[in-house]
Amino acid sequence: MLAPSPCTFCVAFLCMAAAVVTATASSAQAAAAQYQLVPAQNEPSLLGAARAQGAVIWSHGRSLQKECSLVPTPDYISAFRAAGWDTFRLNRPSIIDNLPDSAAALAQEAEGLKHRGYRRVILAGQSFGGFISLIAAGRSDAVDAVIATAPAAYGSGQSNPSSYGLNATRLYDLLGAIRHARVALFFFDGDIFDPGGRAPIADGILDARGLAHLVVDRPAGLPTHWASITPAFASQFGPCLVAFAADERRSGALSCRDLETAAQPPRLPTLSQLMPLPTRH
């Protein structure tokens, strides 16, 4: 065997040094990074715990290619603001974002809002954000409802074909551990992170648990993993989700039609209904 040349040792040393520098930089970045609960609306427009219908915390997804803490809040969250809710988002820098720590931080923020006096606390999340919202609902009684759109945390059929089935099996485990929160789940056609068949199994688990739940499976016109961030989703499901979050009386399987009907104020009778019109002779 030929002895390694001095150049080989030099390159190896430089690689090791670079690795140490990178690790040190990453450690420094991780130490500086923090979870941040920030308003999802203009801060002056927050109503406060005494006046608001409740509080919503939206949690973004997670990506290896971009910083998801910078993505916009989806349009459907604006429906809550319009209905008198205070809306927030939990920003999670990717360098510290993982299931156990992020879920713990989210549960802590939910409890903080309850301690501030918010009567209802709703956790809403997209993809990875949906997973940590469900985990938090299994850890804290402060969570009154969860809205999880395209829940996933284990890659796609393309990036992780051998293990992305965990997006189904681990989801079922999380649903089985929820304490008391109502649960709304959305699954979309063409979602590369969805192993398929999750809606009926999730519905059965939640039904057996006796939890009020809304399961929407592949709604028409809303394809792909990112369907919930579109204006079309907000238009179709915003009022339904506001009604779902506010309705604390219903149990079992829910539908948007029933929720929206129940949320509408009763119509006052017209004068002709109260008094018979005089007849002409």
Side-chain angles (χ1 to χ4, degrees):
M1 178 181 295
L2 294 175
S5 68
C7 185
T8 304
F9 282 117
C10 179
V11 171
F13 175 78
L14 289 174
C15 288
M16 290 175 61
V20 171
V21 170
T22 301
T24 303
S26 297
S27 298
Q29 290 173 348
Q34 294 182 347
Y35 299 100
Q36 288 187 313
L37 184 73
V38 298
Q41 60 193 81
N42 294 331
E43 191 164 4
S45 69
L46 292 172
L47 299 173
R51 296 172 56 205
Q53 295 293 320
V56 179
I57 305 177
W58 181 75
S59 294
H60 55 77
R62 182 175 185 270
S63 171
L64 299 178
Q65 286 78 40
K66 63 181 180 179
E67 185 58 71
C68 286
S69 61
L70 302 177
V71 303
T73 306
D75 288 351
Y76 81 87
I77 297 298
S78 298
F80 285 91
R81 175 186 174 184
W85 294 69
D86 283 349
T87 59
F88 303 87
R89 55 181 286 153
L90 183 67
N91 289 335
R92 313 177 318 272
S94 59
I95 197 168
I96 60 172
D97 195 12
N98 61 72
L99 285 176
D101 293 340
S102 296
L106 183 56
Q108 184 176 9
E109 296 294 355
E111 290 169 359
L113 290 174
K114 269 293 176 72
H115 291 156
R116 284 164 58 179
Y118 284 99
R119 186 165 66 88
R120 304 183 187 102
V121 175
I122 313 301
L123 303 184
Q126 159 69 12
S127 191
F128 195 91
F131 253 71
I132 65 170
S133 297
L134 292 167
I135 296 172
R139 292 187 174 187
S140 175
D141 288 326
V143 182
D144 295 294
V146 174
I147 301 167
T149 57
Y154 297 95
S156 69
Q158 298 172 358
S159 65
N160 191 22
S162 63
S163 300
Y164 94 115
L166 293 172
N167 288 328
T169 55
R170 294 287 170 83
L171 172 65
Y172 307 148
D173 292 339
L174 298 183
L175 297 178
I178 289 174
R179 296 193 178 187
H180 69 88
R182 305 184 300 285
V183 179
L185 297 172
F186 287 82
F187 305 106
F188 300 106
D189 192 27
D191 182 355
I192 60 174
F193 296 85
D194 191 341
R198 296 192 295 176
I201 297 176
D203 185 79
I205 293 170
L206 294 168
D207 198 52
R209 296 284 320 283
L211 297 173
H213 58 282
L214 171 69
V215 178
V216 179
D217 188 21
R218 293 172 293 177
L222 292 170
T224 82
H225 183 67
W226 299 273
S228 71
I229 67 175
T230 64
F233 179 88
S235 176
Q236 187 170 344
F237 291 106
C240 169
L241 290 174
V242 171
F244 164 80
D247 194 331
E248 300 169 334
R249 299 165 299 171
R250 293 175 179 269
S251 60
L254 307 175
S255 73
C256 281
R257 177 178 296 179
D258 291 343
L259 285 167
E260 292 182 58
T261 299
Q264 301 203 350
R267 293 183 179 179
L268 295 175
T270 64
L271 183 62
S272 61
Q273 291 173 319
L274 294 173
M275 299 177 58
L277 295 175
T279 56
R280 293 182 179 181
H281 297 284

